[in-house]
Amino acid sequence: MTNKVTTQYNGMILLTGYLQRLFVAETIYRRVGETYEQERYDNVKALLDEAYTILPVFEETHTLTAAQKIQLQLIAHQTEELMKTYFKQMPLSFNQKLAIVGSSLYAEQHVNAGIIRLGKMFNVEINKDFHQRTKFYEERTKMIDYLVFVLHHEEQPEEQFKKPIDPWFNDVIKNKDFVLEDFKQIAEMLEFN
């Protein structure tokens, strides 16, 4: 298996991770009664669906056609544009922070699972940390699901479940400048230039 194939697959995992992040954020906004744009939600869902039509084909063929590469480049460009408005103007409400934290955790979980899948599919040794993080993400996303569920039903969540959101949010904000760097990396991995 060539390094090029695993690099391209990794690029698609990273790209779909950002789409996952956008999709989950919009879903949480909707579920907890925050203001959201239906058009943005529909656009993100369409981009995610489009990317997920390419991914299984690539898993079978281990190659990208010229048309798929162009399609991925358009998806990446639109995703990057959407990420520019992902972070809302401060200060944020608890529900807005929850959407950012929840979507970041789901995206990281998606990328982690994708890297584990890459290792299995292409017989590449993956750092043990990725396997160990699986439980970590499961626990945190369950907590996010609980909070969204309770807020969706207009109930008050238990304080112990609300407490970690602020520190987790602060961690996400610390890393927000790396988003645009990731899109440069995606472009390199998928050989857009």
Side-chain angles (χ1 to χ4, degrees), residues 1 5 14 56 72-73 80 82 105 140 187 192:
M1 193 50 49
V5 173
L14 193 54
L72 284 169
Q73 189 171 9
E80 183 177 10
L82 287 162
L105 284 169
R140 290 192 175 194
F192 293 155

Side-chain angles (χ1 to χ4, degrees), residues 16-80:
T16 54
Y18 275 106
L19 285 163
Q20 184 80 19
R21 182 186 279 225
L22 289 161
F23 182 73
V24 172
E26 294 304 314
T27 300
I28 292 174
Y29 288 136
R30 289 171 60 150
R31 302 251 323 138
V32 300
E34 281 293 318
T35 304
Y36 73 95
E37 299 169 40
Q38 184 66 45
E39 187 179 329
R40 181 181 173 91
Y41 175 85
D42 293 341
N43 187 20
V44 169
K45 182 164 181 354
L47 290 169
L48 194 55
D49 290 346
E50 211 175 314
Y52 278 137
T53 61
I54 297 171
L55 200 57
V57 174
F58 183 83
E59 288 175 356
E60 287 290 317
T61 64
H62 298 178
T63 187
L64 286 172
T65 65
Q68 287 170 327
K69 212 180 262 193
I70 290 167
Q71 195 175 5
L72 284 169
Q73 189 171 9
L74 292 170
I75 293 169
H77 175 72
Q78 290 177 49
T79 305
E80 183 177 10

